[in-house]
Amino acid sequence: MSSTKHFMEISQEIIASEYHKKIKDAFEVFDHEANNTVDVREIGTIIRSLGCCPSEGELHDLIAEVEEEEPTGYIRFEKFLPVMTEVLLERRYRPIPEDTLLRAFEVLDPSKRGFLTKEELIKYMTEEGEPFSQEEMEEMLSAAIDPESNSIHYKDYIAMMVVDDS
Amino acid sequence: MSRRGALRLPPGPGSPGSQARFSIPAAAFRAAALIQRWYRRYVARLEMRRHCTWRIFQSIEYAGQQDQVKLHDFFSYLVEHFTPSSNHERDFLNRVFTEERFPQDAEMEKFSDYKSIEVPDNYTGPRLSFPLLPDHAAALVEAFRRKQQLHARYVLNLLHETRKHLEQLPNITRVSTCYSEEVTVCGDLHGQLDDLIFIFYKNGLPSPERAYVFNGDFVDRGKDSVEILMVLFAFMLVYPKEFHLNRGNHEDHMVNLRYGFTKEVMHKYKTHGKKILKTLQDVFCWLPLATLVDEKVLILHGGVSDMTDLELLAKLDRHKIVSTLRRKTRKENGKQATKEKATPPSGAGRPTPWFLPQTRSLPASPLRLGASGAPRAGRSSSIPCSCPADAKEPARRARRSVDLELDRCRRQAGLPVSPAQGEPLLCTPEADSEAEEPPEPTQEEWKQVVDILWSDPMTQDGCKANTIRGGGCYFGPNVTEQLLQKYNLQFLIRSHECKPEGYEFCHSRKVLTIFSASNYYEVGSNRGAYVKLGPALTPYIVQYQANEATHTLTMRQRISRVEEAALRSLREKLFAHSSDLLGEFKKHDADKTGFITLSDWAEAVESVLRLGLPWRMLRPQLVRSSTDNTLEYRSWLEDLAKEQLSHENIQSSLLETLYQNRSNLETIFRIIDSDHSGFISLDEFRQTWKLFSSHMNVDITDDCICDLARSIDFNKDGHIDINEFLEAFRLVEQSCPEGEASDCRQATSTTDGGCSKPGTH
């Protein structure tokens, strides 16, 4: 049994080291000064591009973990790496499967029309959950809304986004 | 720009609107939160892709600039180590290394002599008469918009008048918003005429009430640099008090050799191109260095350093700074050039190429961005002069001055200037300075100008050498603050760097970068912008994108397009290094399975290409097929090759090598082709290639080069049309659809010596 445990530990090490390299690459994209720091406002993008899907609240908690005691506006790689590695190893903030996403849209469309109007989408996205900023709303509308019907046919929309994402 | 969603919780009970809230089920709340969460991740991934794409373009662009430094090193190496083994080689070297002398005034008159150029009767393009009137300038813009070309005579005439005007201007132009109520400042245009036309359309043509400042980098890269210059110079002559230009680092004949302006001129003006280039070389040196608005806003092309001294910059003779890539100097190791006539020494003197600095004042090899563990270079940007203080030095200089004397005598006697039997004819900038040359810039003066033309801002405090560009520095917020306080200024406007939104504030809004070439890397890559200043000096930014198509694309589509272009360039680069990559991959495959892990792939690729790119982020776009985290690398390399090659006859390894050195080759060609004829002999090509490949440790035989030349089908008279060669080269790189490979070849062949235009198949 101890050898199995030992084997598991070594596998973890290998996996962790793989994660380290991935995290480093993602971090470096935003490390404009090449001094192992990134602007705290880019951390969300980095974390999400590594495959995680945290809510805004979860993101804030994560940032609090990696920030300096006296927040400088910058996050250092040395603090970010171990925290992010744990997140990946624990498979936290898993991405949302397609069907779950579909069901979420269907909750907002109780009469099962198959679409949401532009106004409805705006209302839900800017007033419910963790509301969008105006910029975010406009961006989503530009791709999601079918201009002829002024609505979002969410099944098609999801299908299109998912293809694009892979 | 990343998305920053605000965390706003719905109002609690008792607050306005909360009554309505309670009637919406909690499930809807959760559903909305889920969709938002998903969407934010999607956007983040797009952001990442966009940043990676940007990095690809930038790293390739800067690697190109570093190449320029490497090229200089190559020729320095030649100078120091290469001993011509025959007269033939010596003559060849002389041709390459003969000093392109800075034109004297008398010669300049000859060069800008436009009166002797006749304009044919069937010329339908725009005509200019001087003094220029506002209508003429506006008509010129209209003519260019209709794709007409200005005749060489008018070009030279305009340049002549431009030079006369520029000579009277100070180094730092003063602009006041008392006279013109608004000042519009534009950044880099880089030969993109559409953007200039759009700016005039949207903002209005220049007028006494509408002042303009164009902040450098008018030329190179884009295809209409000539037309842009003509328009800018025309308006400057029409509205001398309201229309102002600053010099950029691309207003430099040496940089133009590499980045396309030289090529454009020679292509558009076959007979008179050389004259035009020579005149422009002079005009560029006369461009002012900076502009000051209301004594409060400083506008210059690159940036500043912690040593920037505006008083020194105002006083120096800017005309002496011919190119910021090289500085002539009179002194070597403190010794003055001697005039004594001594007998030539027995040893062959080392000629110094005209395009190389006498002292090695170029910075040391640039460090790769993000090189882990490597300390950043210090402030010093020069490597010590490595000239040996041996006995040959004074004798060599003496010999040169002797040659020059002979040369002058021959010319006075009306004899052709030709090298004596076996004796190289060498002219050097040192010797030139004995004539009525303007005195050369001091090290300090030169560095001041390089700093303001090449520097970039950084977010951290301090000032360090700009190793990515190879010149100037990175300056931090404290440097900006120090400068603004010292000269009682409000903020800086600079350009020099492409920004996704066309502009960017930094250093607590004390530095504004303004970039006016939209779609600079690729259609959809970035917006252009200009900034307007009124008497209150509050910057008002206007953005645009000069391509209708991009307006209708969604963010996702725009990013995809630009990304595809970046990846194409990157795949090209990967292909160019196929052999090296194979070697690296094999190292990771000790058991010779043919497979490596994706992680190994990323390491190997970075160690070969050294672009500092996030390969693991890019991997999904570059490695299509991979099962269970491993890659069969040989077939991956083969797939790369298939994409690039459409022509079975050309050996893939040779093509690969040429690809790798394509920009260098082109630059070398243009340096060899010192009379800008567009032709070099096959022999010269072979010679140069031999030298180059031996220096770069590239293994290519003579026969291979000949075969390649023949298969691309040059005119059989032993001359290579450089442009044809490179265009044909470019044709080959575009993948032809199946079955049309032979058609492609037909298109590149010249049957009766005529040139075939690329893309006509």
Side-chain angles (χ1 to χ4, degrees), chain B residues 160-188:
Chain B
H160 179 74
E161 298 296 317
T162 300
R163 179 167 163 256
K164 271 179 12 198
H165 169 75
L166 288 174
E167 277 173 19
Q168 303 163 25
L169 299 179
N171 293 350
I172 303 182
T173 310
R174 250 96 179 158
V175 176
S176 169
T177 53
C178 293
Y179 302 122
S180 4
E181 285 129 31
E182 56 172 54
V183 179
T184 304
V185 184
C186 303
D188 296 25

Side-chain angles (χ1 to χ4, degrees), chain A residues 18 21 25 28 33 35 41-42 49 52-53 56 101 125 128 130-131 135-136 140 161 164, chain B residues 2-3 5 8 36-42 48 55 458-460 556 599 603 614-616:
Chain A
E18 283 301 308
K21 292 182 197 153
D25 260 9
E28 275 180 359
E33 308 288 307
N35 59 1
R41 292 167 293 185
E42 316 273 27
S49 67
C52 299
C53 198
E56 289 289 293
L101 189 59
M125 292 295 104
E128 298 298 326
E130 293 175 320
E135 217 186 324
E136 283 173 312
M140 185 182 193
M161 299 288 261
D164 195 49
Chain B
S2 61
R3 307 290 163 194
R8 291 198 297 281
Q36 289 153 345
R37 183 158 70 99
W38 164 82
Y39 183 75
R40 283 176 172 129
R41 172 162 180 262
Y42 171 78
M48 180 56 91
R55 282 285 294 266
M458 61 175 177
T459 45
Q460 316 286 354
R556 172 188 130 254
S599 179
E603 269 180 43
W615 294 103
R616 283 172 195 84

